[in-house]
Amino acid sequence: DLCNLTPHIISHHHFTKLVQSRLVSYQQVHSDIMFGASQAVQKLADGKQGSGTVPVVYGLFLCSALAVYHFVANGEFSAIMTMAVMIQCLAFVLLAVKSAAVGSVSGISANCLALEALAFACRLSSTTWLNGYLPVDASGDFVYQAVEAIALLIVLWLLHCSFVTHERTYQKDADSLPVLPLVAGCSLLAALLHADMNSRDLFDTLWMTGLFLSVVSVLPQLWLINQTGGVVQACTGHYIAMLAVSRALSGIFMWYARHDITCKPWVEGVNHAVWAIFSAHVMHLVLLGDFGFYYIKALMQHGLSFKMEIPCADMV
């Protein structure tokens, strides 16, 4: 009888809605608990535990760099380029260690990571099969490219954490610096100022684009720090510092090899590519000048485990 079935159907419908609402509530509570736990663990890790992890990571990379310098590059000066990319890789390893340990990407700019990923891709499109921008020692045969490829994979993993795994901890509203104009500007300048070490305009342009992108990639990270009150946790601080050290080493080699860098000059007798490359290195260090002062100060006062507070007026 349809009349007799109707109350049971309505009752079942109400029961189903009640169960669904309870499940949603439980899921929300569980999510809130996990988020709170993540924040608590992050505070703990940024405090006491950071002092144990960071020295181990530094030690492993120092041993690896020395091994490559002595046993692969045979002490050649050009190995400084390989050391530079190893230190750059160390920077992203420090971020990955933090993200994996605390389950959070708080304080990390995904826009910065996206620019770095694009920069790695541009450079690898050249260095994986052309020799124009590689160290002339044996480390340029495979180690240099392998380290950059590993760094690219780490950056991609961090981007996955930012947008998927740890999306809730990503500070999207603060990470708001537009990056498309930066990409367009770097590409245009690279097309105009590239060298011709590969004797292929496209891949010379891509390499130069990668250099310029890696320089401006620090801007979204500095912007995020400024938007969040100027607070920098230890691993994030070490990451930015290692990028500066890497750029300094790369700049030293590029200045040493400036007479070997060639281009098709726009003005007779003016090697614009050398000045573009060197200026990019100097600009990177200038952008990090204020940060470097506060980083060294925090390092001297608190050691490897610190929490920096940079006045917003001193940020880019």
Side-chain angles (χ1 to χ4, degrees):
D1 186 12
L2 183 58
C3 293
N4 293 331
L5 287 175
T6 299
H8 295 285
I9 294 174
I10 295 175
S11 177
H12 177 72
H13 177 68
H14 286 171
F15 176 76
T16 302
K17 289 185 65 176
L18 178 62
V19 171
Q20 288 176 344
S21 64
R22 291 292 177 87
L23 285 175
V24 170
S25 299
Y26 292 150
Q27 289 173 351
Q28 183 63 42
V29 170
H30 174 74
S31 177
D32 291 339
I33 291 173
M34 293 303 294
F35 178 70
S38 173
Q39 295 296 98
V41 173
Q42 180 179 356
K43 292 179 181 178
L44 180 61
D46 284 334
K48 298 179 179 179
Q49 293 180 2
S51 60
T53 304
V54 173
V56 172
V57 176
Y58 275 129
L60 289 174
F61 266 80
L62 177 61
C63 293
S64 300
L66 290 174
V68 169
Y69 180 76
H70 287 290
F71 299 115
V72 179
N74 295 318
E76 294 287 338
F77 180 77
S78 62
I80 193 173
M81 280 291 289
T82 306
M83 301 300 103
V85 298
M86 292 185 73
I87 293 173
Q88 185 180 33
C89 184
L90 167 61
F92 296 111
V93 167
L94 289 169
L95 281 189
V97 167
K98 173 196 172 184
S99 179
V102 304
S104 170
V105 292
S106 177
I108 300 175
S109 168
N111 286 334
C112 170
L113 295 174
L115 289 176
E116 286 285 7
L118 184 56
F120 279 123
C122 288
R123 292 197 300 270
L124 285 169
S125 70
S126 167
T127 57
T128 49
W129 69 292
L130 296 169
N131 299 322
Y133 303 94
L134 290 173
V136 295
D137 60 85
S139 67
D141 294 339
F142 65 93
V143 176
Y144 182 95
Q145 302 91 324
V147 172
E148 283 214 317
I150 292 171
L152 173 58
L153 292 175
I154 294 172
V155 170
L156 292 175
W157 180 79
L158 286 168
L159 283 170
H160 180 266
C161 290
S162 298
F163 295 121
V164 181
T165 312
H166 308 315
E167 180 185 10
R168 186 164 184 177
T169 64
Y170 170 47
Q171 297 161 302
K172 183 178 179 179
D173 292 337
D175 191 19
S176 57
L177 183 71
V179 295
L180 288 181
L182 296 177
V183 175
C186 289
S187 301
L188 178 60
L189 287 175
L192 296 173
L193 302 175
H194 68 80
D196 65 350
M197 300 296 289
N198 288 327
S199 298
R200 291 175 171 83
D201 288 343
L202 173 60
F203 294 99
D204 285 314
T205 299
L206 285 172
W207 185 89
M208 189 71 85
T209 301
L211 171 62
F212 291 163
L213 286 173
S214 65
V215 170
V216 301
S217 67
V218 72
L219 292 176
Q221 183 64 57
L222 295 178
W223 177 269
L224 175 63
I225 293 171
N226 181 64
Q227 295 297 302
T228 53
V231 177
V232 183
Q233 301 295 345
C235 281
T236 306
H238 293 308
Y239 151 70
I240 299 174
M242 289 304 100
L243 290 182
V245 173
S246 171
R247 189 63 60 205
L249 290 178
S250 176
I252 290 171
F253 176 80
M254 287 299 178
W255 181 251
Y256 176 83
R258 65 190 184 279
H259 298 299
D260 298 318
I261 299 174
T262 60
C263 70
K264 299 173 183 176
W266 292 105
V267 178
E268 188 65 30
V270 177
N271 190 334
H272 59 261
V274 169
W275 290 107
I277 291 171
F278 189 66
S279 297
H281 284 76
V282 172
M283 181 181 293
H284 196 166
L285 296 178
V286 169
L287 289 173
L288 295 178
D290 289 330
F291 169 84
F293 170 77
Y294 290 103
Y295 174 80
I296 294 173
K297 182 179 178 181
L299 205 60
M300 293 178 65
Q301 291 179 345
H302 306 290
L304 292 175
S305 180
F306 59 80
K307 184 176 181 179
M308 295 169 51
E309 292 189 9
I310 305 176
C312 293
D314 291 339
M315 298 298 294
V316 174

